[in-house]
Amino acid sequence: MAYVAIADQGQELHDPQSFITKYIWSQDHKVIAIQYSITAIAVGLVALVLSGMMRLQLGFPNSFSFIDPQSYYQFVTMHGMIMVIYLLTALFLGGFGNYLIPLMCGARDMVFPYMNMMSYWIYLVSVLVLMASFFVPGGPTGAGWTLYPPQAILPGTPGADGGIVLMLVSLALFIVAFTMGGLNYVTTALQARTRGMTLMRLPLTVWGIVMATILGLLAFPALLVSAIMMLLDRTLGTSFFMPAILSMGNQLDYNGGSPVLFQHLFWFFGHPEVYIVALPAFGIVSDLLSVHARKNIFGYRMMVWAIIAIGGLSFVVWAHHMYVSGMHPYFGFFFATTTLIIAVPTAIKVYNWVLTLWKGNIRLNVPMLFAIGFVFTFINGGLTGLFLGNVVVDLPLSDTYFVVAHFHMVMGVSPILVVFGAIYHWYPKMTGRMLNETLGKIHFWVTFLGTYAIYYPMHYLGFLGLPRRYYALGDTSFIPDSVATLNASITVAALIVGVVQILFIYNLIVSLRKGKPSGGNPWQATTLEWQTPQTPPVHGNWGPTLPVVHRWAYDYSVPGAEEDFVPQNVPRDVVASEAD
Amino acid sequence: MNIFRALTQKPWLPDEDDSIVEIHPDGAVVLHSAKIALRIFLAVVATLFSLFMAAYYVRMEVPDWRPLAEPGLLWVNTGVLFLASVALQWTRQATYGENLTQIKLGLLAGMTLTLAFLGGQLWVWQQLMADGYYAVGNPANAFFYLITALHGVHIAGGLFVWIRTATRVWRGAEAYQIRLSVELCTVYWHFLLLVWLAVFWVLLST
């Protein structure tokens, strides 16, 4: 029987009828992607402002009356939680995943469009619930983004009344939304690929996003379990995590619960979460480097295998976040070993990125700058990770600014640089217009250099023993006076980096109308999303027939070809006859 | 499809006769998409319950743990859930025939037995509470209520889909139109039966 792709089998396409079904209550993966992205960026800006407030207090202690210890801890907590989950996870998977998976696989839409739509709306509710916690009595929770019990739900912690409850409910909703979206991303990549699109012809972007989704599907249940059990401890008074404890002189009704159990559950989610954010970044940056260096990605198969290996290993390293909680030495030894092993596939990826650039015909445009910036930053953050993976090094450094510097470099700045690069790269496909190049370059250089001005000094502060999480340092003899100066300079750098993001938002909005028309394939890229008949792609993506794939995604600078790239849907004999 | 063969292809080598275009992409269309999605979802649910079980065993180590009584009614409920699974399997077979009466009978039987299971679980809760086993009293009780509640919620979600399928039949759907829904439900029920057996076994053995 002749093969008919699923998307060719007379699938209903739910053609939108009105403005509301087209742009708001939409089942089109591209509209949902943009809804996800706008929501994530909006909530991310809130988190950015919060980080600015934290830096004001740290750089210029006690100069601002609106930042007291309570609100400081609330800023820290909300900044961390929003950035990791509601911005990065949602933007990479809900935003880029939604937009790129069907287009790159050559499908007309996600396999379950209705569920995809529900995924966005539940995500939106989870964001609204989270934001509502700013307005309840007591404000949002200030328990730190890890929400460790017992202090997370004890009186005295900011937001122990309503804030923590809303946070846990919001997380549970987010997990439901993510599961709906995640089932779609994986099933679409498995089932709806067009003819000729074998697994190994998929662009690495799809590999990264799909693997991250699988990690999310298996890791978020751990967060759900801990959120539900903590919610019951808080509301019903069960003792899953709460030990017998005195609070303000009174014996509470809790008894026997295990706070360390929570830490295990949390980090069983929390460590894969790092890779949920990192793997899509790995995939996207591989494609950006290849396109803008006009070279095929170095070691494609190795890149795919590394993504799979990292995904598997990420489930057996979680306890390296808990060395300071105390554990059996062999247990620590095991997790230190696995942590160092995971550096191997990661290093393979870094070498391959550098080798892709080697002798490439590099076009230093804005997406490429961000991609190269990512490689630098990721190497920095990754190397300090090797330090911290060792128990004896981690113990003295764990509660210092060294760790703040490490994880911001590796899972804050690095993925955000990729997010920016990816937006500059795919914005022309989403809107049909280019972003302003000059503004983009200013945005890049200030952001890139600025983040180094912020986080490099923090490594040094960490070596000095400067404790993290502190609202104010007070008189501490081992901390030299110069620390205050350094902290002030970090704050100035952070504020500059924060403000320059306005330029980026301005560029996004103004280019929508005034940007240079981009045409269908401004970067001369090979992957399918650039070969759509219309730009931006219309509902159904491909017109009457689906594209047929004849080659892998990285045919750049092919000898004999007329141009320096051959799109995936060009048959072999066409290229051959051009060469004759 | 051999996954290892798929992952060791060298995609950069030219395809001599472009033959790869003629075959379907590896993996696709072997199963219906909804079946694939259900399998992935079951993996997620399995992870969820495994983590609860892991937490259960860890929490058990603390000396304040006092195992709760196991009402005999739980055995009855287990039997009812097993019969529900059988009823669904039987309905699934019936959708391959044309006999709508059989299908309707199967749908009703599945629904009734599942509702009976949920009712039975609530009854167990009531018995336990009457005996003073409150959730706050002991972690063993709390775990019991939490895990049975979660299992019940999953069953109730499946029941919602099952009833929607049944409604379609009464509104005149043909056997082949509901075959997929019935099959998905059946797989889901069997899976939740397995989860329940595992949970029950853990409760009995601790």
Side-chain angles (χ1 to χ4, degrees):
Chain A
M1 193 185 84
Y3 165 74
V4 184
I6 285 187
D8 277 343
Q9 293 170 350
Q11 180 196 21
E12 277 182 74
L13 264 176
H14 311 284
D15 274 315
Q17 305 296 328
S18 65
F19 178 83
I20 288 183
T21 48
K22 199 166 174 186
Y23 294 111
I24 297 172
W25 199 249
S26 170
Q27 301 188 20
D28 186 321
H29 72 101
K30 299 182 289 298
V31 178
I32 295 171
I34 291 167
Q35 290 172 327
Y36 249 115
S37 304
I38 291 175
T39 313
I41 291 173
V43 75
L45 287 174
V46 174
L48 183 73
V49 171
L50 294 177
S51 69
M53 312 258 262
M54 281 148 60
R55 277 319 312 180
L56 283 179
Q57 163 62 23
L58 293 170
F60 309 101
N62 306 323
S63 317
F64 301 93
S65 58
F66 56 92
I67 310 173
D68 55 13
Q70 291 255 333
S71 53
Y72 177 79
Y73 285 117
Q74 291 169 329
F75 298 159
V76 173
T77 306
M78 297 304 274
H79 167 76
M81 195 61 102
I82 291 175
M83 286 296 192
V84 171
I85 293 185
Y86 298 87
L87 171 66
L88 285 173
T89 307
L91 188 54
F92 270 127
L93 303 178
F96 289 112
N98 246 319
Y99 199 88
L100 294 174
I101 290 174
L103 280 169
M104 284 184 156
C105 292
R108 294 196 185 279
D109 206 322
M110 286 289 177
V111 177
F112 310 109
Y114 184 80
M115 198 158 77
N116 203 21
M117 176 180 77
M118 290 311 291
S119 165
Y120 170 71
W121 289 103
I122 297 176
Y123 164 66
L124 183 65
V125 172
S126 82
V127 169
L128 293 177
V129 170
L130 188 74
M131 290 298 114
S133 72
F134 280 102
F135 304 102
V136 293
T141 177
W145 90 277
T146 53
L147 306 177
Y148 278 5
Q151 108 283 359
I153 57 176
L154 284 183
T157 306
D161 301 323
I164 184 73
V165 174
L166 288 178
M167 168 66 84
L168 296 170
V169 170
S170 168
L171 285 174
L173 285 169
F174 181 89
I175 294 165
V176 172
F178 173 79
T179 307
M180 288 181 154
L183 286 174
N184 252 314
Y185 313 150
V186 177
T187 314
T188 304
L190 285 178
Q191 293 286 96
R193 280 170 288 137
T194 188
R195 275 205 292 171
M197 182 62 92
T198 60
L199 284 176
M200 296 305 268
R201 281 177 173 177
L202 285 170
L204 286 168
T205 299
V206 178
W207 271 105
I209 291 174
V210 168
M211 197 65 206
T213 307
I214 295 174
L215 293 191
L217 287 171
L218 299 179
F220 272 114
L223 184 63
L224 184 63
V225 167
S226 38
I228 291 174
M229 287 177 16
M230 195 196 277
L231 203 57
L232 293 177
D233 277 5
R234 166 71 182 73
T235 53
L236 293 184
T238 53
S239 301
F240 290 114
F241 301 132
M242 298 297 285
I245 199 165
L246 288 170
S247 173
M248 305 184 184
N250 299 318
Q251 176 78 40
L252 298 183
D253 286 337
Y254 298 114
N255 189 28
S258 168
V260 175
L261 171 61
F262 176 89
Q263 297 186 14
H264 279 294
L265 285 170
F266 182 86
W267 288 113
F268 186 79
F269 145 76
H271 197 83
E273 171 63 33
V274 174
Y275 289 97
I276 292 168
V277 172
L279 286 179
F282 291 173
I284 289 171
V285 91
S286 306
D287 283 349
L288 295 191
L289 290 173
S290 175
V291 172
H292 299 288
R294 316 308 297 165
K295 258 186 77 185
N296 60 305
I297 189 78
F298 188 93
Y300 174 85
R301 288 198 303 173
M302 206 59 93
M303 293 300 249
V304 172
W305 298 342
I307 285 176
I308 296 171
I310 291 172
L313 285 169
S314 71
F315 279 100
V316 288
V317 298
W318 79 88
H320 69 214
H321 297 271
M322 300 164 53
Y323 291 150
V324 284
S325 303
M327 60 177 70
H328 193 286
Y330 285 133
F331 203 61
F333 175 75
F334 172 80
F335 282 100
T337 312
T338 52
T339 304
L340 296 183
I341 290 174
I342 208 170
V344 175
T346 317
I348 288 175
K349 297 195 79 70
V350 172
Y351 286 124
N352 284 354
W353 290 323
V354 176
L355 288 167
T356 302
L357 292 173
W358 178 255
K359 291 193 173 178
N361 179 13
I362 294 175
R363 297 176 178 173
L364 268 187
N365 44 34
V366 183
M368 186 60 154
L369 286 173
F370 276 107
I372 296 176
F374 162 82
V375 176
F376 271 91
T377 312
F378 188 72
I379 292 174
N380 271 311
L383 285 177
T384 50
L386 287 179
F387 290 34
L388 293 171
N390 294 285
V391 185
V392 286
V393 185
D394 181 74
L395 288 180
L397 285 176
S398 186
D399 284 324
T400 71
Y401 269 85
F402 192 84
V403 170
V404 179
H406 159 69
F407 70 69
H408 275 94
M409 277 292 202
V410 82
M411 77 167 298
V413 179
S414 300
I416 278 290
L417 288 176
V418 176
V419 164
F420 288 139
I423 290 176
Y424 282 98
H425 185 78
W426 277 294
Y427 185 88
K429 181 49 64 177
M430 296 181 183
T431 62
R433 290 180 186 272
M434 307 293 282
L435 284 167
N436 185 304
E437 183 93 1
T438 317
L439 287 179
K441 284 193 170 154
I442 297 172
H443 176 221
F444 168 74
W445 284 110
V446 177
T447 306
F448 180 68
L449 297 177
T451 50
Y452 277 74
I454 299 168
Y455 296 110
Y456 257 6
M458 283 192 194
H459 292 90
Y460 170 67
L461 293 177
F463 277 133
L464 286 179
L466 196 69
R468 63 183 168 128
R469 308 194 185 99
Y470 281 28
Y471 165 73
L473 294 169
D475 288 327
T476 318
S477 59
F478 67 90
I479 297 172
D481 292 341
S482 58
V483 164
T485 326
L486 203 49
N487 258 333
S489 93
I490 291 176
T491 298
V492 171
L495 294 179
I496 292 172
V497 171
V499 169
V500 86
Q501 306 311 318
I502 295 173
L503 211 60
F504 171 64
I505 303 287
Y506 170 83
N507 198 355
L508 284 183
I509 295 169
V510 169
S511 299
L512 211 55
R513 284 283 168 81
K514 302 232 167 104
K516 200 172 67 179
S518 64
N521 190 359
W523 311 114
Q524 301 177 297
T526 59
T527 41
L528 285 182
E529 82 274 21
W530 300 103
Q531 324 303 336
T532 54
Q534 292 92 3
T535 297
V538 293
H539 191 72
N541 293 346
W542 304 108
T545 49
L546 288 176
V548 177
V549 170
H550 296 269
R551 54 188 66 248
W552 72 332
Y554 299 97
D555 267 341
Y556 293 102
S557 308
V558 181
E562 194 175 335
E563 288 178 282
D564 75 337
F565 73 106
V566 188
Q568 281 190 282
N569 57 352
V570 173
R572 186 159 168 272
D573 45 353
V574 174
V575 182
S577 63
E578 278 172 0
D580 288 340
Chain B
M1 179 212 43
N2 183 338
I3 184 78
F4 292 103
R5 240 180 59 200
L7 289 179
T8 48
Q9 275 178 10
K10 296 180 176 169
W12 55 89
L13 293 181
D15 234 352
E16 278 314 318
D17 48 0
D18 238 358
S19 62
I20 207 154
V21 171
E22 297 310 320
I23 59 166
H24 61 70
D26 37 0
V29 202
V30 178
L31 275 177
H32 193 281
S33 296
K35 291 187 194 170
I36 295 268
L38 179 67
R39 284 168 184 220
I40 301 171
F41 180 65
L42 293 186
V44 175
V45 178
T47 315
L48 185 71
F49 279 98
S50 315
L51 286 163
F52 269 117
M53 290 295 135
Y56 183 93
Y57 277 110
V58 171
R59 184 65 181 81
M60 235 173 73
E61 303 293 312
V62 183
D64 71 331
W65 183 278
R66 284 188 309 278
L68 80 172
E70 289 120 10
L73 190 54
L74 281 177
W75 286 99
V76 180
N77 289 348
T78 309
V80 171
L81 189 61
F82 177 76
L83 287 179
S85 234
V86 172
L88 263 75
Q89 182 69 33
W90 188 75
T91 317
R92 186 187 155 191
Q93 298 302 329
T95 57
Y96 285 94
E98 290 303 314
N99 191 338
L100 269 178
T101 329
Q102 260 188 15
I103 294 173
K104 285 181 179 173
L105 204 63
L107 286 165
L108 278 179
M111 193 175 76
T112 318
L113 285 164
T114 309
L115 280 173
F117 171 78
L118 289 176
Q121 295 288 81
L122 286 174
W123 198 358
V124 169
W125 278 20
Q126 233 163 23
Q127 284 186 357
L128 284 172
M129 287 204 229
D131 292 345
Y133 291 100
Y134 297 112
V136 286
N138 196 267
N141 312 351
F143 265 109
F144 177 80
Y145 288 118
L146 178 53
I147 294 176
T148 47
L150 207 72
H151 183 258
V153 166
H154 278 85
I155 294 257
L159 195 59
F160 175 71
V161 177
W162 186 253
I163 291 174
R164 268 182 46 163
T165 311
T167 323
R168 278 166 61 197
V169 174
W170 263 269
R171 289 205 182 131
E174 297 289 331
Y176 73 91
Q177 288 171 308
I178 58 154
R179 196 173 291 149
L180 180 66
S181 302
V182 170
E183 182 167 344
L184 294 174
C185 283
T186 309
V187 173
Y188 187 67
W189 252 252
H190 293 344
F191 172 78
L192 284 176
L193 175 65
L194 283 179
V195 169
W196 171 248
L197 290 177
V199 168
F200 194 37
W201 180 78
V202 169
L203 290 174
L204 287 181
S205 64
T206 53

